[in-house]
Amino acid sequence: MSDQTHANLLEIGAAVRTFRTPEGGIVAALDEVGLAVRANEFLTLLGPSGCGKTTLLRAIAGFEDLDRGDIRLDGVSLAGVPAYRRPFNTVFQSYALFPHLNVADNVGYGLDVKQLARHERDARVAAALTLVGLEGYGRRKPKQLSGGQQQRVALARALVNRPRLLLLDEPLSALDRNLRQAMQIELKNLQHEVGISFLVVTHDQEEALVMSDRIAVMNGGRIQQVGTPGEVYDTPANRFVAGFIGVSNVYAGTIDRRDGSLCIVRTDGGIELWARSAAFAAGARVDFMIRPEQIRVDVARTAAQAPGLEATVERLVFVGADLQVHARLADGSPVQALVRHRRTPVEGLAPGSAVRLEYDPEVVHLMAAQP
Amino acid sequence: MTTLAGSRRLRLAALLTPVTLLLGSCFLVPLGIMALYSFLTPGLYGGVEWNFYPYNYGRVLGAPLGDVEDFDPVYIEILLRSLRLAGTVVVLTLAVCYPAAFWVSRFHGERKSFVLFLVTLPFFASLIIRVYAWMLILRPTGFLNLVLESAGVIDAPLQIIFTEVSVVAGLVYILLPFMFLPIYASVEKLDPALVQASEDLGATPWQTFRRVVLPLTLPGVIGGSLIVFIPAFGNFVVPALLGGAKVMLVGNIIEQQFLAARNWPFGAALAMLILGTVLVLMLIYVLRIGRGGVAAGAKA
């Protein structure tokens, strides 16, 4: 995967797609979107609803035309190629299983329309059903299956055609929480097993982090950042990505001065923060970000070496493994920290108590402020 | 538990009583009387004599009673013609309504309601008046000939009225909404995602139609065909006004036997023959075409 330009399976170049709203306005669902899907990777399009991710998926599948830009498979443009001639298959959000066909005929549909020989068709259908753990379900009708089973049928129906790229539109959104978490791992394993690139659309950041090789974060019709789950979590490109993936504390400010590789940031509220970064010069406008789990809550308020902030606890939220500490800094801006839950309550940690929040300047992430 | 089941049974009985009374008194009893009359001797001056008499059927089917009545193949001819015309009407209404239903289903909101309102609009005017309007259009000095002549397409007026063409045109016009509404209901239920899924799996538009769209809309097609075929087969107003004496259908013969010839048993026998024919044809149709489709539609 070192030579990326040749490893790219699918390339989307400057894709633009606008829609007319009922009020007469024009909305860009895709605004100069560029993206490359590599061979044999699990790529997730992550973003809030209305960010354009589904439009992009539908454009790749061939259900949506682009106003401008192009989509290339192995370097060849797909413009004008109808959906039924594209070597991609889709797992629809509603699964879209054919209600009048049984499971085997649903899975065999793509092979039947290509008029594959009967014995090969049956063998491949059986193999696909085994792959998704549904052997023996061939004669059932979709209505007789649970949601999770229907989803597996939809997967088998797509994979049996050995597509170059599998497109999945919110594949897990209709499943309940436990099943969804199990399927996240299973989808990832399945992708590894079949060696087909998966392009998954989701609005669930946790799902994206668990499953993906890479995540493309979208908002407002634009790609905000493409990177590994670690990259988008630890070094988000901007305030939107920082806020959309995980919980973050972000403070707008200016680089006050530099001390070697240490930047001293003065927030707009007048608080001084430290960060290790070589990317910004003094005077630059930045967004300072730190994750709650990187903050230590010092109840005793012993003056330590690490930089710290005085804060007042507002409320404590118990979420099982962790205790969320919601507090306010001296200038009134909110801050969130995590304390690992222990069965004995932490002395002195209660709403109203003053605490010192410590952090390591190494793990702070500075982002260029957006205009 | 028993009281619950009991009250449920009571409620069911209360709900079913009106329909049972209505269908029983207005449908089953007259039908029974007709069936009975069809086996009685026609009275000399109308009415019936209470003797068993199978020759009402014999006249039509080829076993008349010696010199009293003749076997006349005209009745079978009329029966076959009625079948043929009704079949034609089904095919034509289907050809018009099936694409139209897809077209209308793409509309949204008020536009859709408006189009559906237009479909039902003809019901607001009397059937007779609407058929008379067709007479004005089709007659030799009528609107159609006027337009064709002034456009230079024809030199002399076409004799359209009092032909099978005018009868079929009239029946198609009258029965269009009955074909449209059931088809529209099944098209409206068709999930567009299924069509996309089919395309996505590599099916050409034609394959998608054959394998997904048609099977899933077949219940509407079957329903529409039935509700159009039956009245087209027995209709007597349209053939009477647009077919004249030349294009008689079974409905006209029956009407004549009851009102003009005052031969009630023979009219009843003809009516029973229609009923039997329709039932047999419907059974074949539903069993053959409907086997896969209805089952799928019921699940869809």
Side-chain angles (χ1 to χ4, degrees), chain A residues 58 63 83-84 88-90 92 96-100 109-110 112-114 143 157 161, chain B residues 193-194 196-205 207-208 211-212 215-216 296 299-300:
Chain A
R58 291 173 55 81
F63 298 131
Y84 60 88
F88 311 140
N89 287 116
T90 306
F92 291 84
L97 299 179
F98 303 120
H100 59 302
Y109 189 90
D112 289 339
V113 297
K114 287 184 195 73
K143 278 273 150 63
R157 183 177 72 172
N161 304 292
Chain B
L194 296 178
Q196 287 189 349
S198 172
E199 278 182 56
D200 185 77
L201 291 164
T204 61
Q207 286 176 318
T208 297
R211 288 168 179 268
V212 175
L216 290 176
K299 288 239 169 70

mmCIF file of all heavy atoms in Angstrom, chain A residues 58 63 83-84 88-90 92 96-100 109-110 112-114 143 157 161, chain B residues 193-194 196-205 207-208 211-212 215-216 296 299-300:
data_model
loop_
_atom_site.group_PDB
_atom_site.id
_atom_site.type_symbol
_atom_site.label_atom_id
_atom_site.label_comp_id
_atom_site.label_asym_id
_atom_site.label_seq_id
_atom_site.Cartn_x
_atom_site.Cartn_y
_atom_site.Cartn_z
ATOM 1 N N ARG A 58 -24.549 6.992 -3.381
ATOM 2 C CA ARG A 58 -25.491 6.753 -4.482
ATOM 3 C C ARG A 58 -24.889 7.152 -5.823
ATOM 4 O O ARG A 58 -25.184 6.521 -6.848
ATOM 5 C CB ARG A 58 -26.800 7.514 -4.237
ATOM 6 C CG ARG A 58 -27.602 6.953 -3.069
ATOM 7 C CD ARG A 58 -28.816 7.821 -2.742
ATOM 8 N NE ARG A 58 -29.663 8.025 -3.898
ATOM 9 C CZ ARG A 58 -30.562 7.133 -4.321
ATOM 10 N NH1 ARG A 58 -30.731 6.035 -3.649
ATOM 11 N NH2 ARG A 58 -31.280 7.376 -5.394
ATOM 12 N N PHE A 63 -26.860 5.682 -8.922
ATOM 13 C CA PHE A 63 -28.245 6.117 -8.762
ATOM 14 C C PHE A 63 -28.385 7.627 -8.802
ATOM 15 O O PHE A 63 -29.482 8.164 -8.728
ATOM 16 C CB PHE A 63 -28.818 5.604 -7.439
ATOM 17 C CG PHE A 63 -28.861 4.110 -7.348
ATOM 18 C CD1 PHE A 63 -28.377 3.456 -6.241
ATOM 19 C CD2 PHE A 63 -29.372 3.368 -8.396
ATOM 20 C CE1 PHE A 63 -28.408 2.081 -6.169
ATOM 21 C CE2 PHE A 63 -29.407 1.992 -8.332
ATOM 22 C CZ PHE A 63 -28.923 1.345 -7.214
ATOM 23 N N ALA A 83 -26.231 1.976 -13.426
ATOM 24 C CA ALA A 83 -25.978 1.231 -12.178
ATOM 25 C C ALA A 83 -25.803 -0.258 -12.433
ATOM 26 O O ALA A 83 -24.951 -0.898 -11.833
ATOM 27 C CB ALA A 83 -27.131 1.464 -11.199
ATOM 28 N N TYR A 84 -26.603 -0.806 -13.364
ATOM 29 C CA TYR A 84 -26.566 -2.257 -13.539
ATOM 30 C C TYR A 84 -25.322 -2.731 -14.274
ATOM 31 O O TYR A 84 -25.088 -3.930 -14.383
ATOM 32 C CB TYR A 84 -27.847 -2.767 -14.216
ATOM 33 C CG TYR A 84 -28.143 -2.213 -15.585
ATOM 34 C CD1 TYR A 84 -27.635 -2.816 -16.729
ATOM 35 C CD2 TYR A 84 -28.947 -1.100 -15.724
ATOM 36 C CE1 TYR A 84 -27.930 -2.306 -17.985
ATOM 37 C CE2 TYR A 84 -29.245 -0.577 -16.964
ATOM 38 C CZ TYR A 84 -28.734 -1.179 -18.098
ATOM 39 O OH TYR A 84 -29.019 -0.673 -19.329
ATOM 40 N N PHE A 88 -20.194 -2.816 -8.788
ATOM 41 C CA PHE A 88 -20.333 -2.550 -7.358
ATOM 42 C C PHE A 88 -21.649 -3.152 -6.903
ATOM 43 O O PHE A 88 -22.580 -3.269 -7.686
ATOM 44 C CB PHE A 88 -20.384 -1.040 -7.067
ATOM 45 C CG PHE A 88 -19.311 -0.249 -7.717
ATOM 46 C CD1 PHE A 88 -19.591 0.995 -8.265
ATOM 47 C CD2 PHE A 88 -18.008 -0.723 -7.784
ATOM 48 C CE1 PHE A 88 -18.604 1.741 -8.875
ATOM 49 C CE2 PHE A 88 -17.011 0.020 -8.383
ATOM 50 C CZ PHE A 88 -17.307 1.250 -8.934
ATOM 51 N N ASN A 89 -21.729 -3.500 -5.654
ATOM 52 C CA ASN A 89 -23.011 -3.906 -5.096
ATOM 53 C C ASN A 89 -23.253 -3.147 -3.807
ATOM 54 O O ASN A 89 -22.323 -2.741 -3.127
ATOM 55 C CB ASN A 89 -23.065 -5.406 -4.868
ATOM 56 C CG ASN A 89 -23.184 -6.162 -6.181
ATOM 57 O OD1 ASN A 89 -22.299 -6.922 -6.551
ATOM 58 N ND2 ASN A 89 -24.255 -5.928 -6.912
ATOM 59 N N THR A 90 -24.536 -2.974 -3.515
ATOM 60 C CA THR A 90 -24.929 -2.140 -2.391
ATOM 61 C C THR A 90 -25.697 -2.951 -1.359
ATOM 62 O O THR A 90 -26.524 -3.787 -1.720
ATOM 63 C CB THR A 90 -25.821 -0.979 -2.881
ATOM 64 O OG1 THR A 90 -25.134 -0.286 -3.921
ATOM 65 C CG2 THR A 90 -26.133 -0.019 -1.746
ATOM 66 N N PHE A 92 -28.391 -2.040 1.151
ATOM 67 C CA PHE A 92 -29.244 -0.884 1.391
ATOM 68 C C PHE A 92 -29.603 -0.767 2.864
ATOM 69 O O PHE A 92 -29.652 -1.769 3.586
ATOM 70 C CB PHE A 92 -30.519 -0.989 0.559
ATOM 71 C CG PHE A 92 -30.278 -0.840 -0.921
ATOM 72 C CD1 PHE A 92 -29.890 -1.929 -1.681
ATOM 73 C CD2 PHE A 92 -30.417 0.387 -1.538
ATOM 74 C CE1 PHE A 92 -29.652 -1.797 -3.045
ATOM 75 C CE2 PHE A 92 -30.179 0.532 -2.894
ATOM 76 C CZ PHE A 92 -29.798 -0.559 -3.644
ATOM 77 N N ALA A 96 -33.775 -3.832 1.467
ATOM 78 C CA ALA A 96 -34.412 -3.971 0.150
ATOM 79 C C ALA A 96 -34.373 -5.407 -0.353
ATOM 80 O O ALA A 96 -34.064 -5.662 -1.512
ATOM 81 C CB ALA A 96 -33.780 -3.015 -0.865
ATOM 82 N N LEU A 97 -34.698 -6.345 0.505
ATOM 83 C CA LEU A 97 -34.795 -7.742 0.063
ATOM 84 C C LEU A 97 -36.089 -7.908 -0.725
ATOM 85 O O LEU A 97 -37.099 -7.289 -0.392
ATOM 86 C CB LEU A 97 -34.786 -8.687 1.268
ATOM 87 C CG LEU A 97 -33.540 -8.631 2.137
ATOM 88 C CD1 LEU A 97 -33.659 -9.595 3.308
ATOM 89 C CD2 LEU A 97 -32.286 -8.936 1.332
ATOM 90 N N PHE A 98 -36.047 -8.753 -1.760
ATOM 91 C CA PHE A 98 -37.232 -8.946 -2.584
ATOM 92 C C PHE A 98 -38.234 -9.811 -1.810
ATOM 93 O O PHE A 98 -37.954 -10.973 -1.519
ATOM 94 C CB PHE A 98 -36.862 -9.601 -3.907
ATOM 95 C CG PHE A 98 -35.838 -8.820 -4.678
ATOM 96 C CD1 PHE A 98 -34.620 -9.376 -5.008
ATOM 97 C CD2 PHE A 98 -36.078 -7.499 -5.044
ATOM 98 C CE1 PHE A 98 -33.662 -8.653 -5.707
ATOM 99 C CE2 PHE A 98 -35.128 -6.766 -5.735
ATOM 100 C CZ PHE A 98 -33.920 -7.340 -6.058
ATOM 101 N N PRO A 99 -39.400 -9.250 -1.499
ATOM 102 C CA PRO A 99 -40.333 -9.987 -0.633
ATOM 103 C C PRO A 99 -40.927 -11.217 -1.299
ATOM 104 O O PRO A 99 -41.369 -12.127 -0.616
ATOM 105 C CB PRO A 99 -41.420 -8.950 -0.332
ATOM 106 C CG PRO A 99 -41.337 -7.959 -1.432
ATOM 107 C CD PRO A 99 -39.909 -7.931 -1.868
ATOM 108 N N HIS A 100 -40.924 -11.243 -2.646
ATOM 109 C CA HIS A 100 -41.568 -12.370 -3.322
ATOM 110 C C HIS A 100 -40.597 -13.519 -3.577
ATOM 111 O O HIS A 100 -41.001 -14.551 -4.097
ATOM 112 C CB HIS A 100 -42.196 -11.908 -4.632
ATOM 113 C CG HIS A 100 -41.210 -11.294 -5.598
ATOM 114 N ND1 HIS A 100 -40.442 -10.198 -5.276
ATOM 115 C CD2 HIS A 100 -40.870 -11.629 -6.855
ATOM 116 C CE1 HIS A 100 -39.688 -9.887 -6.305
ATOM 117 N NE2 HIS A 100 -39.907 -10.733 -7.274
ATOM 118 N N TYR A 109 -30.007 -13.640 -6.974
ATOM 119 C CA TYR A 109 -30.595 -12.732 -7.962
ATOM 120 C C TYR A 109 -29.576 -12.199 -8.965
ATOM 121 O O TYR A 109 -29.778 -12.245 -10.178
ATOM 122 C CB TYR A 109 -31.279 -11.571 -7.240
ATOM 123 C CG TYR A 109 -32.103 -10.695 -8.150
ATOM 124 C CD1 TYR A 109 -33.436 -10.980 -8.374
ATOM 125 C CD2 TYR A 109 -31.552 -9.582 -8.786
ATOM 126 C CE1 TYR A 109 -34.201 -10.191 -9.211
ATOM 127 C CE2 TYR A 109 -32.307 -8.797 -9.630
ATOM 128 C CZ TYR A 109 -33.638 -9.100 -9.840
ATOM 129 O OH TYR A 109 -34.390 -8.325 -10.671
ATOM 130 N N GLY A 110 -28.458 -11.700 -8.430
ATOM 131 C CA GLY A 110 -27.440 -11.119 -9.305
ATOM 132 C C GLY A 110 -26.847 -12.156 -10.253
ATOM 133 O O GLY A 110 -26.459 -11.833 -11.382
ATOM 134 N N ASP A 112 -28.551 -14.874 -11.267
ATOM 135 C CA ASP A 112 -29.626 -15.272 -12.180
ATOM 136 C C ASP A 112 -29.752 -14.291 -13.349
ATOM 137 O O ASP A 112 -29.962 -14.710 -14.478
ATOM 138 C CB ASP A 112 -30.958 -15.354 -11.422
ATOM 139 C CG ASP A 112 -30.990 -16.555 -10.486
ATOM 140 O OD1 ASP A 112 -30.211 -17.501 -10.707
ATOM 141 O OD2 ASP A 112 -31.792 -16.536 -9.533
ATOM 142 N N VAL A 113 -29.647 -13.005 -13.068
ATOM 143 C CA VAL A 113 -29.803 -12.052 -14.170
ATOM 144 C C VAL A 113 -28.605 -12.138 -15.123
ATOM 145 O O VAL A 113 -28.694 -11.723 -16.269
ATOM 146 C CB VAL A 113 -30.003 -10.594 -13.686
ATOM 147 C CG1 VAL A 113 -31.279 -10.469 -12.875
ATOM 148 C CG2 VAL A 113 -28.813 -10.090 -12.906
ATOM 149 N N LYS A 114 -27.500 -12.674 -14.648
ATOM 150 C CA LYS A 114 -26.360 -12.895 -15.547
ATOM 151 C C LYS A 114 -26.414 -14.289 -16.161
ATOM 152 O O LYS A 114 -25.506 -14.689 -16.873
ATOM 153 C CB LYS A 114 -25.050 -12.720 -14.785
ATOM 154 C CG LYS A 114 -24.758 -11.270 -14.468
ATOM 155 C CD LYS A 114 -23.409 -11.113 -13.802
ATOM 156 C CE LYS A 114 -23.271 -9.759 -13.158
ATOM 157 N NZ LYS A 114 -24.087 -9.631 -11.925
ATOM 158 N N LYS A 143 -39.486 -12.113 5.132
ATOM 159 C CA LYS A 143 -40.359 -11.705 6.239
ATOM 160 C C LYS A 143 -40.247 -12.645 7.439
ATOM 161 O O LYS A 143 -40.606 -12.288 8.549
ATOM 162 C CB LYS A 143 -41.822 -11.670 5.765
ATOM 163 C CG LYS A 143 -42.182 -10.409 5.031
ATOM 164 C CD LYS A 143 -42.635 -9.299 5.990
ATOM 165 C CE LYS A 143 -42.323 -7.916 5.460
ATOM 166 N NZ LYS A 143 -43.031 -7.614 4.229
ATOM 167 N N ARG A 157 -26.262 -11.346 -0.540
ATOM 168 C CA ARG A 157 -26.787 -11.044 -1.869
ATOM 169 C C ARG A 157 -25.835 -10.137 -2.641
ATOM 170 O O ARG A 157 -25.720 -10.234 -3.855
ATOM 171 C CB ARG A 157 -28.162 -10.371 -1.729
ATOM 172 C CG ARG A 157 -28.831 -10.085 -3.048
ATOM 173 C CD ARG A 157 -30.200 -9.500 -2.871
ATOM 174 N NE ARG A 157 -30.146 -8.127 -2.396
ATOM 175 C CZ ARG A 157 -31.201 -7.329 -2.294
ATOM 176 N NH1 ARG A 157 -32.396 -7.782 -2.608
ATOM 177 N NH2 ARG A 157 -31.089 -6.101 -1.843
ATOM 178 N N ASN A 161 -21.854 -11.677 -5.742
ATOM 179 C CA ASN A 161 -21.490 -11.210 -7.085
ATOM 180 C C ASN A 161 -20.020 -10.845 -7.209
ATOM 181 O O ASN A 161 -19.586 -10.417 -8.274
ATOM 182 C CB ASN A 161 -22.336 -9.985 -7.445
ATOM 183 C CG ASN A 161 -23.817 -10.284 -7.354
ATOM 184 O OD1 ASN A 161 -24.340 -11.052 -8.132
ATOM 185 N ND2 ASN A 161 -24.488 -9.697 -6.361
ATOM 186 N N ALA B 193 -36.836 1.189 -3.480
ATOM 187 C CA ALA B 193 -35.536 0.616 -3.133
ATOM 188 C C ALA B 193 -35.362 -0.770 -3.761
ATOM 189 O O ALA B 193 -34.244 -1.172 -4.081
ATOM 190 C CB ALA B 193 -35.381 0.528 -1.616
ATOM 191 N N LEU B 194 -36.481 -1.490 -3.948
ATOM 192 C CA LEU B 194 -36.389 -2.826 -4.547
ATOM 193 C C LEU B 194 -35.968 -2.725 -6.008
ATOM 194 O O LEU B 194 -35.201 -3.543 -6.504
ATOM 195 C CB LEU B 194 -37.727 -3.549 -4.441
ATOM 196 C CG LEU B 194 -38.207 -3.854 -3.028
ATOM 197 C CD1 LEU B 194 -39.566 -4.529 -3.059
ATOM 198 C CD2 LEU B 194 -37.198 -4.728 -2.314
ATOM 199 N N GLN B 196 -34.164 -0.301 -7.251
ATOM 200 C CA GLN B 196 -32.742 0.047 -7.230
ATOM 201 C C GLN B 196 -31.885 -1.154 -6.863
ATOM 202 O O GLN B 196 -30.823 -1.356 -7.439
ATOM 203 C CB GLN B 196 -32.497 1.176 -6.230
ATOM 204 C CG GLN B 196 -33.016 2.498 -6.749
ATOM 205 C CD GLN B 196 -32.598 3.653 -5.884
ATOM 206 O OE1 GLN B 196 -32.088 3.469 -4.786
ATOM 207 N NE2 GLN B 196 -32.827 4.850 -6.372
ATOM 208 N N ALA B 197 -32.363 -1.961 -5.919
ATOM 209 C CA ALA B 197 -31.598 -3.146 -5.533
ATOM 210 C C ALA B 197 -31.420 -4.063 -6.733
ATOM 211 O O ALA B 197 -30.352 -4.621 -6.955
ATOM 212 C CB ALA B 197 -32.320 -3.880 -4.403
ATOM 213 N N SER B 198 -32.476 -4.192 -7.530
ATOM 214 C CA SER B 198 -32.405 -5.044 -8.713
ATOM 215 C C SER B 198 -31.372 -4.508 -9.707
ATOM 216 O O SER B 198 -30.529 -5.248 -10.207
ATOM 217 C CB SER B 198 -33.784 -5.120 -9.361
ATOM 218 O OG SER B 198 -33.706 -5.774 -10.597
ATOM 219 N N GLU B 199 -31.432 -3.202 -9.962
ATOM 220 C CA GLU B 199 -30.440 -2.593 -10.855
ATOM 221 C C GLU B 199 -29.038 -2.774 -10.300
ATOM 222 O O GLU B 199 -28.091 -3.094 -11.028
ATOM 223 C CB GLU B 199 -30.703 -1.089 -10.979
ATOM 224 C CG GLU B 199 -31.763 -0.708 -11.952
ATOM 225 C CD GLU B 199 -31.883 0.809 -12.004
ATOM 226 O OE1 GLU B 199 -30.879 1.482 -12.275
ATOM 227 O OE2 GLU B 199 -32.978 1.315 -11.721
ATOM 228 N N ASP B 200 -28.932 -2.566 -9.011
ATOM 229 C CA ASP B 200 -27.634 -2.655 -8.356
ATOM 230 C C ASP B 200 -27.032 -4.045 -8.519
ATOM 231 O O ASP B 200 -25.820 -4.207 -8.594
ATOM 232 C CB ASP B 200 -27.804 -2.328 -6.874
ATOM 233 C CG ASP B 200 -26.479 -2.274 -6.146
ATOM 234 O OD1 ASP B 200 -25.781 -1.261 -6.294
ATOM 235 O OD2 ASP B 200 -26.131 -3.251 -5.464
ATOM 236 N N LEU B 201 -27.913 -5.060 -8.586
ATOM 237 C CA LEU B 201 -27.433 -6.432 -8.713
ATOM 238 C C LEU B 201 -27.192 -6.820 -10.164
ATOM 239 O O LEU B 201 -26.955 -7.983 -10.466
ATOM 240 C CB LEU B 201 -28.438 -7.386 -8.059
ATOM 241 C CG LEU B 201 -28.489 -7.241 -6.531
ATOM 242 C CD1 LEU B 201 -29.729 -7.893 -5.952
ATOM 243 C CD2 LEU B 201 -27.251 -7.848 -5.896
ATOM 244 N N GLY B 202 -27.296 -5.840 -11.054
ATOM 245 C CA GLY B 202 -26.905 -6.088 -12.435
ATOM 246 C C GLY B 202 -28.049 -6.364 -13.379
ATOM 247 O O GLY B 202 -27.817 -6.724 -14.533
ATOM 248 N N ALA B 203 -29.285 -6.206 -12.924
ATOM 249 C CA ALA B 203 -30.426 -6.477 -13.797
ATOM 250 C C ALA B 203 -30.657 -5.285 -14.726
ATOM 251 O O ALA B 203 -30.668 -4.143 -14.276
ATOM 252 C CB ALA B 203 -31.680 -6.753 -12.970
ATOM 253 N N THR B 204 -30.865 -5.566 -16.001
ATOM 254 C CA THR B 204 -31.211 -4.506 -16.940
ATOM 255 C C THR B 204 -32.615 -4.020 -16.606
ATOM 256 O O THR B 204 -33.362 -4.701 -15.892
ATOM 257 C CB THR B 204 -31.202 -5.049 -18.379
ATOM 258 O OG1 THR B 204 -32.189 -6.084 -18.469
ATOM 259 C CG2 THR B 204 -29.850 -5.632 -18.753
ATOM 260 N N PRO B 205 -32.998 -2.846 -17.126
ATOM 261 C CA PRO B 205 -34.348 -2.358 -16.835
ATOM 262 C C PRO B 205 -35.427 -3.392 -17.165
ATOM 263 O O PRO B 205 -36.383 -3.574 -16.403
ATOM 264 C CB PRO B 205 -34.465 -1.124 -17.735
ATOM 265 C CG PRO B 205 -33.063 -0.628 -17.837
ATOM 266 C CD PRO B 205 -32.192 -1.848 -17.849
ATOM 267 N N GLN B 207 -35.112 -6.722 -17.230
ATOM 268 C CA GLN B 207 -35.039 -7.792 -16.234
ATOM 269 C C GLN B 207 -35.653 -7.340 -14.914
ATOM 270 O O GLN B 207 -36.349 -8.107 -14.242
ATOM 271 C CB GLN B 207 -33.585 -8.217 -16.010
ATOM 272 C CG GLN B 207 -33.006 -9.044 -17.147
ATOM 273 C CD GLN B 207 -31.539 -9.354 -16.927
ATOM 274 O OE1 GLN B 207 -30.770 -8.488 -16.501
ATOM 275 N NE2 GLN B 207 -31.133 -10.569 -17.221
ATOM 276 N N THR B 208 -35.385 -6.098 -14.553
ATOM 277 C CA THR B 208 -35.955 -5.564 -13.316
ATOM 278 C C THR B 208 -37.475 -5.584 -13.390
ATOM 279 O O THR B 208 -38.156 -5.965 -12.439
ATOM 280 C CB THR B 208 -35.457 -4.129 -13.076
ATOM 281 O OG1 THR B 208 -34.050 -4.169 -12.908
ATOM 282 C CG2 THR B 208 -36.089 -3.530 -11.838
ATOM 283 N N ARG B 211 -38.667 -9.355 -13.273
ATOM 284 C CA ARG B 211 -38.387 -10.132 -12.072
ATOM 285 C C ARG B 211 -38.848 -9.473 -10.779
ATOM 286 O O ARG B 211 -39.029 -10.151 -9.771
ATOM 287 C CB ARG B 211 -36.876 -10.397 -11.969
ATOM 288 C CG ARG B 211 -36.384 -11.387 -12.989
ATOM 289 C CD ARG B 211 -34.870 -11.391 -13.036
ATOM 290 N NE ARG B 211 -34.364 -12.364 -13.991
ATOM 291 C CZ ARG B 211 -34.049 -13.614 -13.667
ATOM 292 N NH1 ARG B 211 -34.149 -14.014 -12.429
ATOM 293 N NH2 ARG B 211 -33.611 -14.448 -14.586
ATOM 294 N N VAL B 212 -38.987 -8.152 -10.787
ATOM 295 C CA VAL B 212 -39.348 -7.479 -9.535
ATOM 296 C C VAL B 212 -40.655 -6.691 -9.669
ATOM 297 O O VAL B 212 -41.605 -6.910 -8.924
ATOM 298 C CB VAL B 212 -38.203 -6.531 -9.080
ATOM 299 C CG1 VAL B 212 -38.634 -5.738 -7.858
ATOM 300 C CG2 VAL B 212 -36.949 -7.341 -8.780
ATOM 301 N N PRO B 215 -43.951 -8.979 -10.842
ATOM 302 C CA PRO B 215 -44.476 -9.889 -9.803
ATOM 303 C C PRO B 215 -45.070 -9.143 -8.607
ATOM 304 O O PRO B 215 -46.068 -9.589 -8.042
ATOM 305 C CB PRO B 215 -43.242 -10.678 -9.361
ATOM 306 C CG PRO B 215 -42.257 -10.535 -10.445
ATOM 307 C CD PRO B 215 -42.548 -9.252 -11.153
ATOM 308 N N LEU B 216 -44.484 -8.006 -8.260
ATOM 309 C CA LEU B 216 -44.965 -7.310 -7.070
ATOM 310 C C LEU B 216 -46.191 -6.444 -7.346
ATOM 311 O O LEU B 216 -46.879 -6.034 -6.417
ATOM 312 C CB LEU B 216 -43.836 -6.460 -6.465
ATOM 313 C CG LEU B 216 -42.716 -7.279 -5.814
ATOM 314 C CD1 LEU B 216 -41.605 -6.375 -5.331
ATOM 315 C CD2 LEU B 216 -43.251 -8.119 -4.674
ATOM 316 N N ALA B 296 -47.126 -13.696 -3.462
ATOM 317 C CA ALA B 296 -46.091 -12.698 -3.209
ATOM 318 C C ALA B 296 -46.723 -11.389 -2.790
ATOM 319 O O ALA B 296 -46.273 -10.737 -1.860
ATOM 320 C CB ALA B 296 -45.251 -12.496 -4.461
ATOM 321 N N LYS B 299 -47.802 -11.174 0.722
ATOM 322 C CA LYS B 299 -46.688 -11.021 1.650
ATOM 323 C C LYS B 299 -46.092 -9.626 1.579
ATOM 324 O O LYS B 299 -45.567 -9.117 2.541
ATOM 325 C CB LYS B 299 -45.591 -12.033 1.299
ATOM 326 C CG LYS B 299 -45.987 -13.459 1.654
ATOM 327 C CD LYS B 299 -44.986 -14.052 2.631
ATOM 328 C CE LYS B 299 -45.464 -15.347 3.231
ATOM 329 N NZ LYS B 299 -45.487 -16.430 2.270
ATOM 330 N N ALA B 300 -46.158 -9.030 0.368
ATOM 331 C CA ALA B 300 -45.457 -7.760 0.144
ATOM 332 C C ALA B 300 -46.018 -6.658 1.022
ATOM 333 O O ALA B 300 -47.147 -6.693 1.421
ATOM 334 C CB ALA B 300 -45.571 -7.357 -1.319
#
